[in-house]
Amino acid sequence: MTLGVFSQWVAIIALLLGIGNVLWAWLSVPNRDTNKRIDEAEADIVKLNTKTEADLAVLTEGMKGHDRRIQRVEDDMRHLPTKDDLQIVSHKVTGIKTELDIVAKTLGRIDDFLRKP
């Protein structure tokens, strides 16, 4: 093998390596873009998880506050009168009013009697 043939083979191999390198670079660009997007998505997920955990903590505290307020209202509701209790009180007040009307009429008669000459 002569030096000319050897240099031609080296040139062909160099040309093929150059073409292979160009093809590899051309084909790997979408892959690099995809990897970049995956990395960005992973970073966004980490941010979202951190934000979600913080939001969850805030929501949990808010729910605890609501639970406490609801519990206070329920505790107060136990001591409030029911509809039946108010109806009983209404009947008793009506009875007292009736008795007071009778007493007022009686006092009116006594007053009239005492004022007659």
Side-chain angles (χ1 to χ4, degrees):
M1 201 168 14
T2 65
L3 190 58
V5 174
F6 182 70
S7 66
Q8 285 179 349
W9 278 105
V10 170
I12 291 172
I13 292 173
L15 177 65
L16 291 176
L17 285 175
I19 291 171
N21 191 18
V22 169
L23 287 175
W24 176 257
W26 182 61
L27 292 174
S28 68
V29 168
N31 189 24
R32 280 183 275 160
D33 289 343
T34 303
N35 288 339
K36 183 179 176 183
R37 286 186 302 198
I38 289 172
D39 291 341
E40 289 172 356
E42 287 175 350
D44 290 343
I45 289 171
V46 168
K47 288 179 189 174
L48 183 63
N49 283 341
T50 305
K51 184 178 178 184
T52 303
E53 289 173 2
D55 289 345
L56 184 62
V58 169
L59 290 174
T60 302
E61 286 302 314
M63 291 299 288
K64 285 180 183 177
H66 284 293
D67 187 45
R68 287 184 195 117
R69 280 187 256 150
I70 290 170
Q71 189 63 41
R72 265 190 265 131
V73 169
E74 287 177 349
D75 289 342
D76 291 342
M77 291 292 287
R78 286 188 201 132
H79 305 294
L80 293 176
T82 63
K83 180 182 89 170
D84 296 331
D85 295 336
L86 291 176
Q87 188 176 13
I88 291 169
V89 169
S90 174
H91 287 302
K92 287 184 178 182
V93 168
T94 304
I96 291 171
K97 184 180 179 294
T98 304
E99 288 180 23
L100 284 176
D101 287 343
I102 293 170
V103 169
K105 284 182 184 179
T106 305
L107 285 177
R109 288 181 188 155
I110 292 173
D111 184 48
D112 289 343
F113 177 74
L114 291 175
R115 289 184 190 244
K116 283 185 184 175

